[in-house]
Amino acid sequence: MPSISPVILILGAGPNIGQSCARAFAAKGYRVAVASRNNTATADQLHIQSDFSKHYSVIDAFATIKRELGTPSVVVYNAAAVTFTPPKDPLSTPLESFINNLNINTTSAFVAAQQAALGFAELPETASKTFLYTCNILNEIIIPPMLDAGVGKSGAAHMIRSASEAYKEKGFKLYYCDERKADGGAVYGAIDGDASAKHYVELSEGKTQRPWQQTFVKGARYKAFPSA
């Protein structure tokens, strides 16, 4: 039976940000569902088998969590994909890989935001109604060997920017979350899962929409930087 406790759905629940968010929100009283290809769930988490290269897998995940735990008031989209190419030949990305990764980085993220919004409309005014997309600096800079990821993240950034403005009067909050170094540079592979989780909890507890692009620094929270 659905729980009266708030519910969070984490789409793409790896051992870093995914599980850090699961622990942080569980500590706040949330019931947690994690959707991923491999089962990384702990005993107190609902695992939903998912493949985000297929958009209908996202729809299935929302149907499952609503049936088992209730409508999520916080949704974290934490899935990502990239196919690296030679720096001087970014257009060598195989078409099949480009489509697959665009589905994961953008199309399924859109479907997740769409499904989240449908659920938010059913929740009471006091619910968090927050959608958080884990991202990076690729909507601002060019890294030729990561062409497909840059295309995907840029598309997702546009989607979130547009939706955050359109839905703020309804109390829906949407964020593109990007951990940075203190100087505004990319952290690349040194993402701190606990710092991200702490920031995500803070955003979920906010009453109104903050800047859609949430660049944040470990230990310093949100910090606006000039466009790279």
Side-chain angles (χ1 to χ4, degrees), residues 83-94 143-147:
T83 298
F84 291 98
T85 64
K88 298 295 185 180
D89 194 13
L91 294 179
S92 65
T93 307
I143 303 178
M146 301 176 69
L147 173 69

Side-chain angles (χ1 to χ4, degrees), residues 135 177-181 185-187 190-192 195-196 214 216 218:
C135 65
C177 302
D178 175 9
E179 184 183 355
R180 299 282 186 90
K181 296 178 181 178
V187 296
I191 293 173
D192 189 292
S196 294
Q214 281 289 310
F216 66 97
K218 179 181 177 180

Side-chain angles (χ1 to χ4, degrees), residues 205-223:
E205 292 179 339
K207 300 302 182 184
T208 57
Q209 176 75 43
R210 300 180 187 180
W212 68 273
Q213 184 168 351
Q214 281 289 310
T215 46
F216 66 97
V217 176
K218 179 181 177 180
R221 300 182 181 177
Y222 172 72
K223 185 176 180 180

Side-chain angles (χ1 to χ4, degrees), residues 38-132:
N38 299 315
N39 189 350
T40 61
T42 60
D44 56 348
Q45 298 169 3
L46 171 67
H47 178 254
I48 305 170
Q49 186 75 29
S50 300
D51 178 358
F52 302 120
S53 67
K54 301 173 175 61
H55 73 273
Y56 56 80
S57 191
V58 177
I59 297 172
D60 291 345
F62 274 86
T64 300
I65 191 174
K66 186 173 182 179
R67 181 177 65 250
E68 298 293 333
L69 299 181
T71 300
S73 58
V74 176
V75 175
V76 175
Y77 192 84
N78 189 52
V82 63
T83 298
F84 291 98
T85 64
K88 298 295 185 180
D89 194 13
L91 294 179
S92 65
T93 307
L95 178 58
E96 183 178 349
S97 296
F98 185 89
I99 293 171
N100 180 83
N101 295 351
L102 188 64
N103 285 340
I104 295 170
N105 293 323
T106 310
T107 305
S108 286
F110 168 78
V111 176
Q114 188 177 62
Q115 291 291 309
L118 291 171
F120 293 167
E122 302 174 352
L123 294 172
E125 187 176 342
T126 54
S128 177
K129 303 178 185 179
T130 307
F131 180 86
L132 302 142

